[in-house]
Amino acid sequence: MIFSTAYPEIFILLCLAFAWFLMRLLYRHASAFENLSRWQLWTLKGLRFAVLFLMTVLLLSPVVKLKKKTKNKPVVLVLQDNSSSMLNHSDSLKIRSTLDSLKRQIASNLSGLADLKWYLFADSVQEGTAPDYKGNLSDYSDAIQSVAAQHAYEKPVAMLIVGDGIYNAGQNPVNTVRTLGYPVYSVIEGDTTVHSDIRISQVRANTTAFPGKAFPVEVEIAGNGLKSGQTRISITHDGKVVEQRIVPIAGSYVFRRESFRLKSEKPGLQHYQIQLSPVSGEQTTANNTRLLTVDVLNSQRKLLILAGAPHPDIGALTEALESDPQFKVVVAPFGHFGDYSPEKFNLLIFYQVPESKDVGISDLKKFIDSRTSRWYFLGTQSSISAFNKLNGGMKIVSENKQLADVQMKVNPGFGLFHPDIRLNDWLGAQTPLVIPEGKVETEPFMKTLFYQSGSGEEKPALIMGEQNGVKKAVFDGEGIWRWRISARSVDGDKALFNDWIVNTARYLALKRNEDQFNVHFNRMVQANEAVHFSATLFNAIYEPVHNSAVTLDLMNASGKLFHYVFTEGNDGYELNAGHLPPGSYHFSAAAKVGADSLKESGNFEIMAAQTEMLETRANQQMMTAVAQYSGGKVYFANQLEQLFPDLKKLLQSRSEQTEEVVMMDAIRYEFVLFLLIVLLAVEWFLRRYWGGY
């Protein structure tokens, strides 16, 4: 206990002086004390002085500082797999009962020694102790990282993971636990027996196709614990078998890839069921069937590349664009595109902007003045002065017209679409591009995807945006053909080169419906993803309309109706409909502009995630590795008599005491009041006993 004042020495002296003055005043003329002996008198004076001194101190309201020591329970993080694979067993009721018993045992044995933080994880991570085992994905790595980060300040002593170890999303969790700094104890729950099982492990196909044109489909078949024989793979569309073949089984293990070419004459979302016939001894046939949904588009998007002269960049650009089957690319040199009409194309790509006196520049004006989206590529043959007059969203101010070699980097804050997460590292290892040197100025509506790297300031290199309903993009750089060679020969992955080109073209070539009311949405959504809509609303002269009531009615395949209201954002109206059950949906959106009522409608598909049914055997190796690499141990659900002693030993060695400082008024301190009462009672008793009066 510490008295806290600004000048404690002066405070104590003043209290002593005042108490002595009061005591002398009370005893100076007290004739009743004349018969007392000297030691009796001084005893009474001492008691009275102590009472007066304490009361004087309390009248000045001193503060008492108390140091309180508390024994804290160590924190243990408990993560339980809540995905559907946990019950993927012939006796799921027994598994559920075992899991419930396991949860109760953990709570009863450890809650007295530790502060247990319970979490469930599958598609997402959430606090709770009541699993429903309906998750469509198992992301162990994300669960470990997010829970550990949330409780980092509490310094947990251990993490307990209860699951089957079957992960089908995110990174390998073994790499995640290395940096935790505390052990992970794995409890394996699930069937580790090798049963006979054949399954469709993966289906690869383009998400889009075109009427009457064949598109490739590749099916991976895997199996284990099998007997020699055969199975049949069949593909059904609209109730009719369109492809089937016999797949031989030569031994206990099988892995095959089967390729098909399918064709649909009808546009829209087309559903295909791919199925394997069961084999003898299979415990489950849920993973014998996969569903494939393909969006058959009404027509391809046409792209026109206008170029002043042949260049290897044009070949690289064309190859990347044609890697997406929705694009049909036409290349026309300046001076030879008079027969082309800009309205017949979804995107115009200007490779190098010519001088105003060059051949074909007069024909170029009708393309510049059109409302078709455009993408400018600048380089050594570009006229910067001519480009600056085109209102392309970027201007380059240069006095010396010099060229520079620069590398590119991805802007992490870009939000129009999501480039490949590996793209930034890949760009850093590529050959520099040649760009016109100068100060770069961009319009506010343009968003930057690439910056020039290596310079003192971040200059935009690839920008895009929309102005008055016309989408624009500018790429400042020449020499991308070298990037294509690197992607094909060195990296062995053309997807990284194609990624940024195709995504940019998709954004630009998405045909803008110049009606007053437009609703944008994804035609195919995974079951673990939220459904998002965005809408734009314009008046008769194509000016944005704000503060309007925009609604959406959503109907599922069984006819159930859901009603939503859009919220207004910075770039229009937004709606998050959340997670919806798998199936087909139809929507109808409505808005009002003045007296006019506007409507938009469409269809989309929520695709069921089938990943949890692909594996039927608990992944004992992964759960063991997670425990070993973190310094923990692994147990089966029937080995808890070993788990609890190990954990209790750790918890007892890691319990900590914390010291808490509490400031409290001395007058509120119970001991002071008790002391005053005792002193007054003793002084009164002695006076009565000695006959003071």
Side-chain angles (χ1 to χ4, degrees):
M1 182 174 70
I2 301 172
F3 286 95
S4 178
T5 62
Y7 301 99
E9 297 85 358
I10 298 176
F11 171 77
I12 296 297
L13 289 174
L14 288 174
C15 291
L16 287 170
F18 186 66
W20 179 257
F21 170 75
L22 288 177
M23 190 273 294
R24 294 292 296 171
L25 185 64
L26 290 170
Y27 280 91
R28 177 169 294 181
H29 302 291
S31 58
F33 297 100
E34 293 176 354
N35 296 327
L36 298 179
S37 65
R38 186 178 183 85
W39 72 269
Q40 290 175 334
L41 181 61
W42 279 104
T43 300
L44 293 177
K45 286 183 177 182
L47 290 171
R48 184 68 60 89
F49 175 78
V51 171
L52 293 173
F53 173 73
L54 284 175
M55 294 180 66
T56 303
V57 170
L58 293 176
L59 287 173
L60 296 176
S61 300
V63 176
V64 179
K65 184 189 294 183
L66 299 176
K67 293 182 179 179
K68 183 180 179 182
K69 291 185 178 181
T70 305
K71 187 175 182 180
N72 294 326
K73 291 181 180 179
V75 174
V76 175
L77 308 176
V78 184
L79 279 68
Q80 184 171 353
D81 190 342
N82 192 33
S83 61
S84 58
S85 67
M86 292 290 288
L87 301 182
N88 190 15
H89 192 274
S90 56
D91 193 352
S92 60
L93 292 177
K94 180 180 178 181
I95 293 291
R96 182 186 288 272
S97 176
T98 302
L99 289 167
D100 290 342
S101 174
L102 174 61
K103 180 180 63 178
R104 290 193 296 269
Q105 290 181 64
I106 292 173
S108 62
N109 281 272
L110 299 179
S111 58
L113 296 173
D115 183 8
L116 301 178
K117 307 290 186 180
W118 293 84
Y119 288 89
L120 304 173
F121 69 94
D123 309 74
S124 60
V125 183
Q126 57 187 353
E127 288 189 67
T129 58
D132 57 12
Y133 306 109
K134 294 183 179 180
N136 296 309
L137 293 173
S138 299
D139 192 342
Y140 276 70
S141 177
D142 176 67
I144 293 170
Q145 283 182 323
S146 60
V147 173
Q150 186 173 344
H151 294 278
Y153 68 96
E154 296 178 278
K155 298 181 180 179
V157 300
M159 179 180 288
L160 184 62
I161 300 179
V162 181
D164 55 16
I166 300 173
Y167 72 95
N168 40 49
Q171 303 176 358
N172 188 331
V174 176
N175 300 324
T176 306
V177 299
R178 295 175 186 266
T179 59
L180 284 182
Y182 47 86
V184 175
Y185 293 83
S186 302
V187 179
I188 302 174
E189 179 55 72
D191 190 0
T192 58
T193 307
V194 178
H195 297 281
S196 294
D197 182 54
I198 193 166
R199 58 191 177 276
I200 299 174
S201 59
Q202 192 165 10
V203 176
R204 295 187 179 93
N206 291 326
T207 57
T208 57
F210 299 94
K213 292 188 177 182
F215 57 92
V217 176
E218 185 178 80
V219 182
E220 284 188 1
I221 302 170
N224 47 265
L226 304 173
K227 297 179 181 179
S228 297
Q230 65 182 28
T231 184
R232 177 184 288 106
I233 182 172
S234 58
I235 302 178
T236 306
H237 177 245
D238 287 343
K240 297 180 181 179
V241 177
V242 295
E243 285 279 358
Q244 68 174 352
R245 66 183 62 160
I246 298 297
V247 178
I249 301 174
S252 62
Y253 176 80
V254 64
F255 180 81
R256 292 177 62 94
R257 288 190 178 96
E258 298 290 335
S259 298
F260 303 89
R261 293 190 67 83
L262 305 180
K263 184 187 295 185
S264 176
E265 301 296 337
K266 297 189 300 182
L269 293 174
Q270 304 301 319
H271 307 288
Y272 296 85
Q273 178 176 283
I274 306 172
Q275 189 168 26
L276 288 173
S277 61
V279 299
S280 176
E282 272 197 279
Q283 181 183 3
T284 178
T285 59
N287 52 14
N288 289 28
T289 303
R290 294 291 292 271
L291 300 177
L292 172 65
T293 301
V294 178
D295 190 4
V296 181
L297 306 176
N298 284 316
S299 61
Q300 287 182 302
R301 293 186 172 93
K302 296 181 179 179
L303 280 58
L304 178 63
I305 300 178
L306 305 171
H311 194 284
D313 277 0
I314 299 174
L317 186 61
T318 302
E319 181 181 301
L321 292 169
E322 290 182 340
S323 68
D324 190 326
Q326 70 175 304
F327 293 141
K328 181 179 181 180
V329 182
V330 177
V331 181
F334 292 152
H336 297 83
F337 50 81
D339 296 333
Y340 295 104
S341 173
E343 290 76 20
K344 294 182 179 180
F345 293 91
N346 301 95
L347 175 61
L348 306 173
I349 299 177
F350 300 92
Y351 187 81
Q352 312 274 9
V353 178
E355 294 282 358
S356 56
K357 63 179 182 296
D358 287 355
V359 176
I361 197 66
S362 58
D363 293 329
L364 187 63
K365 189 176 186 303
K366 69 177 181 180
F367 292 89
I368 299 294
D369 293 340
S370 71
R371 292 188 60 81
T372 305
S373 300
R374 68 279 319 272
W375 188 358
Y376 299 97
F377 279 78
L378 305 180
T380 58
Q381 303 301 316
S382 294
S383 170
I384 300 304
S385 60
F387 168 74
N388 287 341
K389 298 176 183 178
L390 297 179
N391 191 25
M394 172 192 283
K395 288 185 178 181
I396 300 176
V397 182
S398 177
E399 297 179 356
N400 50 24
K401 298 184 179 181
Q402 295 294 314
L403 301 174
D405 294 335
V406 300
Q407 288 183 297
M408 306 290 178
K409 64 179 181 180
V410 175
N411 172 22
F414 182 77
L416 295 179
F417 54 81
H418 300 291
D420 193 301
I421 59 174
R422 303 168 296 167
L423 185 59
N424 191 59
D425 293 336
W426 184 81
L427 287 175
Q430 299 310 305
T431 305
L433 302 184
V434 180
I435 68 165
E437 209 172 42
K439 180 181 178 183
V440 178
E441 299 176 353
T442 61
E443 296 291 340
F445 62 87
M446 301 296 274
K447 311 296 182 184
T448 301
L449 175 58
F450 290 171
Y451 281 113
Q452 301 175 22
S453 65
S455 58
E457 59 176 321
E458 291 186 329
K459 295 182 180 180
L462 173 57
I463 63 172
M464 62 197 77
E466 185 173 353
Q467 183 183 32
N468 297 327
V470 178
K471 294 181 178 179
K472 306 174 183 180
V474 181
F475 182 71
D476 187 9
E478 179 181 327
I480 61 172
W481 63 274
R482 297 187 181 89
W483 290 3
R484 182 187 65 167
I485 292 176
S486 173
R488 295 180 63 178
S489 60
V490 179
D491 304 305
D493 189 354
K494 294 186 292 184
L496 284 172
F497 175 73
N498 297 343
D499 176 77
W500 64 276
I501 295 176
V502 170
N503 281 335
T504 303
R506 283 175 180 169
Y507 165 74
L508 296 170
L510 181 63
K511 186 156 182 67
R512 177 78 179 199
N513 181 0
E514 298 215 349
D515 291 338
Q516 292 175 252
F517 183 38
N518 303 300
V519 178
H520 310 284
F521 62 100
N522 290 329
R523 296 263 289 170
M524 291 182 288
V525 183
Q526 295 293 334
N528 60 307
E529 298 176 347
V531 179
H532 293 273
F533 296 89
S534 63
T536 51
L537 190 61
F538 302 92
N539 59 20
I541 59 173
Y542 213 72
E543 293 175 334
V545 175
H546 302 286
N547 302 320
S548 180
V550 182
T551 61
L552 182 140
D553 290 325
L554 185 64
M555 182 180 293
N556 61 17
S558 61
K560 187 175 181 180
L561 191 65
F562 305 88
H563 184 73
Y564 300 91
V565 178
F566 283 78
T567 58
E568 188 172 4
N570 295 328
D571 300 318
Y573 298 84
E574 302 290 336
L575 170 62
N576 182 354
H579 293 79
L580 298 174
S584 300
Y585 292 83
H586 173 79
F587 74 86
S588 176
K592 291 199 71 173
V593 178
D596 298 329
S597 296
L598 307 175
K599 291 187 177 182
E600 276 280 285
S601 62
N603 299 281
F604 63 93
E605 183 85 10
I606 305 293
M607 296 181 291
Q610 298 170 290
T611 52
E612 284 296 306
M613 296 295 107
L614 296 182
E615 293 291 338
T616 58
R617 183 188 178 195
N619 192 341
Q620 179 181 347
Q621 291 78 15
M622 190 279 287
M623 295 289 277
T624 302
V626 164
Q628 290 178 346
Y629 279 100
S630 65
K633 293 183 179 181
V634 62
Y635 309 86
F636 286 94
N638 58 0
Q639 296 177 323
L640 298 185
E641 68 277 1
Q642 301 174 29
L643 165 66
F644 295 131
D646 292 341
L647 264 178
K648 287 179 180 179
K649 184 178 179 181
L650 173 68
L651 296 174
Q652 289 168 354
S653 65
R654 298 292 297 274
S655 60
E656 296 180 350
Q657 282 189 344
T658 59
E659 189 174 78
E660 182 182 6
V661 177
V662 179
M663 305 298 291
M664 185 174 67
D665 291 336
I667 199 169
R668 301 172 67 89
Y669 196 46
E670 293 85 350
F671 176 74
V672 176
L673 177 61
F674 177 75
L675 182 59
L676 280 172
I677 293 173
V678 170
L679 291 174
L680 287 170
V682 171
E683 195 261 351
W684 175 83
F685 174 77
L686 291 177
R687 281 192 291 108
R688 298 289 294 176
Y689 182 75
W690 289 331
Y693 52 84

